[in-house]
Amino acid sequence: MTPPAGTGSPRSGITQHWTPLAVIYLVLAIIGLIGTWSFNISAIVQVRDFVGDWVSSGPAVSSLTVDLLIAAVAGSILIIVESRRLGLRGGWIYVVLAGITAFAFVFPLFLAMRERTITRRSVVGVRPPDPGE
């Protein structure tokens, strides 16, 4: 028997509204968290000057630093704008969380939550709020 129109899929709970794209984003978020924090923990254990190592280890590392910094700033702007566009509360929390964990974790996590929200709304038939309202 199929569910009544507008009730969504028969799945419920935590697995509801997870598309393959959202799962890919979530897996990238987990890889980003593990990948970055394995190096962070190593730096802490070795009592390294993290910021000094990050910005003064030569042109290649500095290039990567600038590359990732610009991508993180642009991604943070996208997170705030897209959160408002979709009516998601707490978009700024992702930006703050990036400073505590890693942008490589936070950005794919946001994309997974965004994809899940879009899918849920399309299944339920809810349109996003008008940003001008």
Side-chain angles (χ1 to χ4, degrees), residues 56-78:
S56 65
S57 294
V61 174
S62 297
S63 174
L64 181 59
T65 300
V66 171
D67 186 29
L68 296 177
L69 183 60
I70 298 302
V73 170
S76 295
I77 292 168
L78 174 70

Side-chain angles (χ1 to χ4, degrees), residues 18-101:
W18 283 95
T19 65
L21 183 58
V23 171
I24 289 169
Y25 288 143
L26 187 60
V27 168
L28 286 171
I30 293 166
I31 291 169
L33 180 65
I34 293 169
T36 56
W37 270 92
S38 62
F39 289 109
N40 291 344
I41 291 169
S42 177
I44 291 166
V45 168
Q46 296 175 20
V47 192
R48 299 291 304 230
D49 176 9
F50 186 78
V51 175
D53 284 352
W54 194 33
V55 296
S56 65
S57 294
V61 174
S62 297
S63 174
L64 181 59
T65 300
V66 171
D67 186 29
L68 296 177
L69 183 60
I70 298 302
V73 170
S76 295
I77 292 168
L78 174 70
I79 288 170
I80 298 297
V81 169
E82 193 69 357
S83 293
R84 288 182 181 164
R85 185 180 73 80
L86 293 173
L88 302 174
R89 287 177 268 138
W92 61 272
I93 294 171
Y94 290 99
V95 177
V96 171
L97 191 60
I100 297 169
T101 58

Side-chain angles (χ1 to χ4, degrees), residues 110-125:
F110 168 76
L111 292 173
M113 296 299 111
R114 175 187 174 271
E115 181 68 19
R116 187 171 183 228
T117 298
I118 290 169
T119 301
R120 178 179 48 83
R121 287 185 177 167
S122 68
V123 167
V124 177

